[in-house]
């Protein structure tokens, strides 16, 4: 049995759906990462064969206002899980982020797993600290991914695609940053790749994102092109958008290590992944059926 934290979130939820009865999903309110004794009790009782740690404090801007809470959830609690994984002698898979590569704005080459991290801002730094905690247990996987979208969990705060659809419907003109390069990725594909990875004993760090890269502006344009909606949308700079937290200008991840070591189908291109999600979405949310 695999214990999945963040089971009400986007990725944890998708992993639980794909694993079915093989997984036990853990999330708030019964499972609170900040209740370290409760976390220990739950996992000692479950004695899972593996722990997949997809829960996190993911509100990137809000994290700048409550760094202690963000670090406690993303870093300290991850350390507790790493100690437990060692005690139970089970693999621990920690889901991390492209945001650990925030400090190389002029880079043009995708980041490989061994490239030095340069997290900027509270969320990114807390996730990187989580990585360092996980490294202390040899049977670990660190999976860095980016810009997740897919079916929203019960408590999910939303994702970029759903935000664009909501804003697009409102009829207002949109402004989206065109100077942050990354690879937004579909949770169904990322969850599938994580399942393949856990089936190996190839411990270590892996980058798992859809193929290719884009900017958020171009990604938004593709959403509306696929929906066939006529939305007024303008490219802007990061400074013009003026978010609280810093975001990487370039955080494209090189997935060749995953593709080389794991016998799995290649990750689809981000445009195909987006088209697949938008089609799937029509079945998921029929009342909101894309009508323009
Ligand atoms: N979303 C993205 O674009 C990306 C995410 N990641 C990483 O991938 C992982 C999954 O992300 P995603 O599924 O989108 O995240 P979500 O925000 O959808 O889900 C995270 C889950 O963790 C739960 N959680 C938060 N705090 C606690 C706590 N104290 N105790 C127990 N559970 C808690 C949340 O509950 P609640 O909502 O009630 O707070 C939520 O159900 C995370 O580790 C994230 O850092 C990496 C790259 C991109
Ligand atoms: C809604 C909106 C966002 N943006 C910008 C803000 C930001 O730079 C970019 C993406 O917006 P988001 O709010 O989805 O960004 P963000 O929450 O930072 O997304 C991230 O989530 C965390 C958890 C991760 O780990 C990352 O991989 C990353 O994908 O688009 C606009 O320019 N215009 C808009 O109207």
């Amino acid at each position: 049995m695999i214990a999945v934290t963040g089971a009400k979130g986007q990725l944890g939820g998708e992993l639980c759906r794909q694993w079915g009865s093989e997984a036990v999903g853990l999330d708030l309110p019964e499972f609170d990462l900040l209740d370290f004794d409760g976390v220990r009790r739950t996992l000692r009782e479950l004695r899972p064969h593996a722990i997949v740690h997809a829960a996190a404090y993911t509100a990137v801007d809000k994290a700048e206002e409550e760094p202690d809470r963000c670090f406690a959830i993303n870093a300290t609690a991850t350390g507790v899980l790493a100690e437990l994984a060692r005690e139970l002698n089970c693999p621990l898979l920690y889901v991390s982020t492209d945001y650990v590569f925030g400090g190389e704005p002029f880079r043009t080459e995708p980041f490989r797993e061994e490239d030095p991290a340069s997290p900027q801002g509270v969320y990114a730094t807390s996730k990187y600290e989580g990585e360092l905690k996980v490294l202390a247990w040899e049977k670990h996987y660190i999976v860095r991914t980016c810009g997740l979208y897919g079916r929203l969990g019960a408590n999910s705060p939303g994702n970029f695609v759903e935000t664009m659809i909501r804003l697009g419907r409102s009829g207002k003109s949109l402004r989206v940053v065109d100077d942050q390069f990354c690879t937004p990725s579909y949770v169904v594909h990322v969850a599938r790749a994580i399942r393949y990875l856990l089936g190996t004993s190839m411990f270590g760090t892996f980058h798992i994102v859809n193929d290719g890269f884009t900017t958020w502006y171009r990604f938004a344009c593709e959403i509306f092109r696929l929906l066939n909606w006529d939305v007024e949308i303008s490219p802007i700079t990061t400074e013009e958008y003026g978010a609280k937290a810093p975001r990487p200008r370039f955080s494209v991840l090189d997935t060749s290590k995953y593709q080389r070591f794991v016998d799995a189908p290649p990750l689809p291109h981000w445009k195909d992944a987006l088209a697949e999600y938008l089609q799937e979405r029509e079945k998921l949310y029929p009342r909101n059926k894309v009508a323009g």
Side-chain angles (χ1 to χ4, degrees), residues 237-248:
T237 63
T238 297
E239 287 73 24
E240 283 172 316
Y241 188 70
K244 234 180 212 130
R247 262 82 170 175

Side-chain angles (χ1 to χ4, degrees), residues 61-103:
D61 287 319
K62 198 166 167 220
E64 299 295 315
E65 291 159 23
E66 40 181 25
D68 292 349
R69 184 173 169 80
C70 181
F71 272 90
I73 294 173
N74 291 352
T76 317
T78 300
V80 171
L81 288 179
E83 283 163 17
L84 274 160
R86 175 191 293 279
E87 180 188 315
L88 301 169
N89 189 25
C90 72
L92 169 65
L93 187 147
Y94 170 68
V95 185
S96 189
T97 172
D98 60 317
Y99 277 18
V100 301
F101 297 116

Side-chain angles (χ1 to χ4, degrees), residues 18-71:
Q18 292 191 16
W19 265 314
S21 57
E22 263 186 87
V24 170
L26 305 170
D27 210 314
L28 290 168
E30 302 82 12
F31 179 83
D32 184 351
L33 284 166
L34 293 178
D35 172 9
F36 301 153
D37 286 337
V39 167
R40 291 189 187 100
R41 219 172 22 249
T42 303
L43 284 156
R44 281 175 184 146
E45 271 166 25
L46 284 174
R47 302 200 67 79
H49 296 123
I51 302 170
V52 174
H53 181 30
Y57 183 114
T58 55
V60 178
D61 287 319
K62 198 166 167 220
E64 299 295 315
E65 291 159 23
E66 40 181 25
D68 292 349
R69 184 173 169 80
C70 181
F71 272 90

